[in-house]
Amino acid sequence: FFSSRRRHTRSLCDWSSDVCSSDLVTLGNDEAKPAFSVSDVSIQEGHSGKKSMVFTVTLAGSSAAPITVQYATQDVTARAGSDYKSAAGTLTFNPGGPSTQTVVIQENGDRSKEVNELFHLRLSNASGAVISDAVGRGIIVDDDSSQIGRAHV
């Protein structure tokens, strides 16, 4: 990473004497921060049981201190409890450790004829980093013989 500093000229004037002076000031250090992103996942629903949907959270960049990010599922057209098991938590990336971690969400199979369903895995509240891609799309593709349509995914 490289550092960039914004520099501005500041003018100080004493209007009573018409005397002005200028100096160069630095307005902070805009170092590039590490950035989090999360993958999208698509899975065939299945007729029963559970399947794992594995989302990959990636940290681009590094830090000398641990970096954290929170995650949570969010219903869109899929419903927590019936279509998938909701989840929430915090991931910690330690200095020198792996740059990816996974979040596993359990999908619930059924024999219902339905549209493809969507939920989100949302990243939030990053500490020591920014979030460049906050939403992982979880697409549950209906595999029953007579789909009634497709969800807007």
Side-chain angles (χ1 to χ4, degrees):
F1 292 103
F2 49 88
S3 173
S4 66
R5 294 179 180 261
R6 292 179 289 174
R7 294 179 177 223
H8 296 276
T9 301
R10 175 178 66 180
S11 296
L12 302 172
C13 296
D14 177 354
W15 297 110
S16 63
S17 65
D18 290 331
V19 175
C20 292
S21 66
S22 296
D23 61 349
L24 188 64
V25 294
T26 301
L27 297 179
N29 189 348
D30 293 338
E31 286 192 30
K33 284 190 168 186
F36 285 110
S37 62
V38 61
S39 66
D40 296 333
V41 177
S42 178
I43 194 168
Q44 290 289 102
E45 181 177 42
H47 295 296
S48 63
K50 300 181 183 318
K51 289 185 177 180
S52 295
M53 299 181 74
V54 181
F55 291 84
T56 301
V57 178
T58 301
L59 176 64
S62 62
S63 172
I67 299 173
T68 62
V69 66
Q70 294 178 345
Y71 66 88
T73 53
Q74 177 185 32
D75 290 358
V76 180
T77 57
R79 299 291 170 237
S82 60
D83 298 313
Y84 70 97
K85 183 178 179 185
S86 65
T90 301
L91 299 174
T92 301
F93 289 74
N94 290 309
S99 61
T100 62
Q101 292 189 38
T102 58
V103 176
V104 179
I105 307 298
Q106 296 299 315
E107 174 271 333
N108 300 320
D110 63 37
R111 291 189 174 274
S112 300
K113 295 175 184 171
E114 55 198 354
V115 298
N116 294 342
E117 297 167 307
L118 173 68
F119 68 92
H120 288 159
L121 181 71
R122 257 187 207 284
L123 302 181
S124 63
N125 299 320
S127 173
V130 297
I131 299 174
S132 62
D133 180 4
V135 178
R137 295 165 26 122
I139 302 169
I140 302 170
V141 179
D142 186 72
D143 63 351
D144 297 303
S145 60
S146 299
Q147 278 192 342
I148 60 173
R150 297 179 66 89
H152 298 287
V153 293

